[in-house]
Amino acid sequence: MNDVLLIYRIIPGETPEKVRHMTFILGDMHDIQFADKVADLIRESGFALDENVILKYNGVEMRMLERDVPAMIRVFISNDVDVYGVYQLY
């Protein structure tokens, strides 16, 4: 089992260049077309630091800069992707 830390512990202005492994819990990931839409949004946003974005049954996991977490949430919400939680693996 992975240990997770809720995002409320991350302060983006404190260490903006720090790389984090973030997990976004998203709605409707069981739908293949929706998962493709999420993958396209991540690719177009440019916030993921490498190609190792992992699409899961309930969300997505990726490495990104700490300062980009709020912007990635904004991208999801503005494209009608329900965000249920954001966690950092530690």
Side-chain angles (χ1 to χ4, degrees):
M1 182 171 163
N2 292 331
D3 293 327
V4 295
L5 178 66
L6 287 173
I7 193 169
Y8 76 88
R9 294 281 189 104
I10 296 175
I11 303 170
E14 194 172 278
T15 53
E17 298 302 317
K18 186 167 184 157
V19 175
R20 305 253 185 199
H21 290 273
M22 300 303 301
T23 301
F24 296 86
I25 306 301
L26 307 174
D28 296 327
M29 285 298 288
H30 61 277
D31 183 3
I32 299 295
Q33 287 83 17
F34 188 80
D36 289 342
K37 174 184 173 181
V38 169
D40 290 340
L41 288 174
I42 292 169
R43 192 175 15 260
E44 292 168 6
S45 72
F47 294 133
L49 294 179
D50 56 27
E51 294 80 35
N52 295 328
V53 175
I54 301 169
L55 295 176
K56 298 183 173 187
Y57 69 96
N58 64 346
V60 63
E61 182 181 317
M62 65 181 150
R63 286 182 55 237
M64 63 189 309
L65 292 174
E66 186 176 279
R67 70 169 182 234
D68 294 334
V69 172
M72 190 72 241
I73 294 170
R74 203 171 303 118
V75 167
F76 286 142
I77 292 172
S78 65
N79 287 284
D80 297 323
V81 176
D82 295 330
V83 178
Y84 294 117
V86 182
Y87 302 93
Q88 172 202 354
L89 291 175
Y90 69 95

